[in-house]
Amino acid sequence: MKQSIALLVLVSIITLAFKASDNKSITFPKGWPKPNYDFSKKPLKSATIELGRALFYDPILSRNNTISCASCHSPYNAFTHVDHALSHGIEDKIGTRNSPALMNLAWNKLFMWDGAVNNIEVQALAPMHNSVEMDETIEHVVTKLQASTIYPSLFRKAFGDSIITGEHTLKAIGQFMLTLVSANAKYDSVMRHQSKFTMQEENGYRLFKTHCSSCHTEPLFTNLSFENNGLPVDTNLNDYGRIRISHQANDSLKFKVPTLRNIEFSYPYMHDGRLKTLSAVLKHYTSGIQNSNTLSPTLQHPIVLTANEKIDLTAFLLTLSDKSFLFNPHFAYPKHILLP
Amino acid sequence: MRILICLLLLLLSEVSLVAQQEKLVQLKIIPFFSTTSASILDTTFQLNTSDSIRFETVKFYVSAIELFSHSQKAWKEKNSFHLIDAAQQKSNTILLNIPKTLDFDSIRFNIGIDSSTNSAGVLGGDLDPTKGMYWTWQSGYINVKLEGTSNLVHSPNHAFEFHLGGYMAPFETIRNISRPCADSNEIKVYVDLKQFITAFNLQETHHVMSPNADAVKLSELLTHCISVK
């Protein structure tokens, strides 16, 4: 009897240890703030991340099975839609905004340019149901996934149940997106004292800290707030940003401060993609700011930069490119699942 | 070994003791228009001699159910989120397992979903977004969904759509209902949709689809149309 009890205890310990080993969080550098997403209550699981990755790349999420999340969030472009000011979705329909670059989402409190979405786990509902993006419904996605040959077993591995639900579908996509951490650019290795900035980059970093870092705060290169950065209103789009969600007059023309990480690859810039190049962005901040009631207090006076300073600042911004993020095989199209 | 068996037996007896000490109360939620004998869905009801109305969707959340005794909280349902859907007959009955000795004289519950649940990420069961009660263009639950047609409405197909929700100030739409009720094994909650629809001008207000002042006003009006027997 003693033996069997001992065996039972041993099996329990092994089971628990196995379970614990699969309950994981994301890894990020020392000194970074604590993520907003509570991994202690909602740990990541390898099988769930893998399922989420398959769903992220699978056009099954759209009405006519043509548009996936990756259509507008391609890994090689810092998970945004390169080359298009306004992202296009199903049947080439054009939206009103430039798809945001996806990275370091575990630190975000609110999602989308106007903060319409309050939790990463429900984020995918927005493009899925948008008539110019995927034009689908979560109800129908669940039906399609249940009928597929690959998904029921992936859901069983992830959630212990091959009956597919909206909750599990969205949770899996959320878990994959949470793993998209970019923290290994040249900037990061300089901060770790493993490499050095060139003189030009060093000067650019100094200029960045003087002129940009109040909103694009290190190490995330965003303070996650909503700001009016002085862009004139596009009278065709009439997009006033955050006010649509918050209904607060002082949120008019405010959009989420985007991260500058991987900015080399996330062009075009601004919420409506109106600026194609980094030099156009710097020109906006030095001579294009339009004053209004809600203009960010830090932009009340134009930023003054000489031509050489602009070059140095750009050189610094390029040190935020993280090739190990852009070409991370764990973030790429899951050929082994979707095209076995 | 003997000790283990004794412990097991003790545990089992405790479980059965607990089971014996509970009683079942049926909470029935009954949305109706003029009469409770007609189905609320797909029946044409007269508003007056010339105008009529028909409901295609009647769905709403009942949450945080509590029983009170002499103004003191006596019992609270755990994980208390229920989607009442007139198209799903079963959803109208909520079973409450309460202690057998518990006396109660009033009931409290919310119509809608609280703000922390609205921000808690994706949830399952009655809160699963596939239930059609979660907004997609912005986060948040639709607390009450009423859809149908009326000749009073001058919109395409005479359709009206009320998607009442919003969890952030200044448009918080969750409402707490507190009503006296008899200590019985059945509590009936009546939701008088005629009283609701005639409490505002349907000709003017027939589409409320986002958290706004109208959603708050209609959510408040609905609280006056709820009675418990």
Side-chain angles (χ1 to χ4, degrees), chain A residues 314-334:
Chain A
T314 307
F316 168 70
L317 293 175
L318 300 185
T319 72
L320 301 176
S321 298
D322 178 357
K323 296 267 167 67
S324 69
F325 169 74
L326 298 166
F327 300 101
N328 186 331
H330 297 294
F331 302 158
Y333 183 83

Side-chain angles (χ1 to χ4, degrees), chain A residues 304-319:
Chain A
V304 180
L305 293 171
T306 65
N308 278 338
E309 284 176 330
K310 284 182 182 174
I311 293 168
D312 291 357
L313 185 52
T314 307
F316 168 70
L317 293 175
L318 300 185
T319 72

Side-chain angles (χ1 to χ4, degrees), chain A residues 42 116-119 121 126 139 167, chain B residues 118 120-122 124 128 130 139 167:
Chain A
K42 296 178 170 186
V117 172
N118 67 17
N119 192 302
E121 294 173 359
E139 298 90 316
E167 180 195 13
Chain B
N118 266 290
V122 66
D128 193 297
T130 53
S139 296
Y167 68 95

Side-chain angles (χ1 to χ4, degrees), chain B residues 117-133:
Chain B
T117 305
N118 266 290
S119 314
V122 66
L123 298 161
D126 277 3
L127 296 172
D128 193 297
T130 53
K131 300 289 179 187
M133 294 294 277

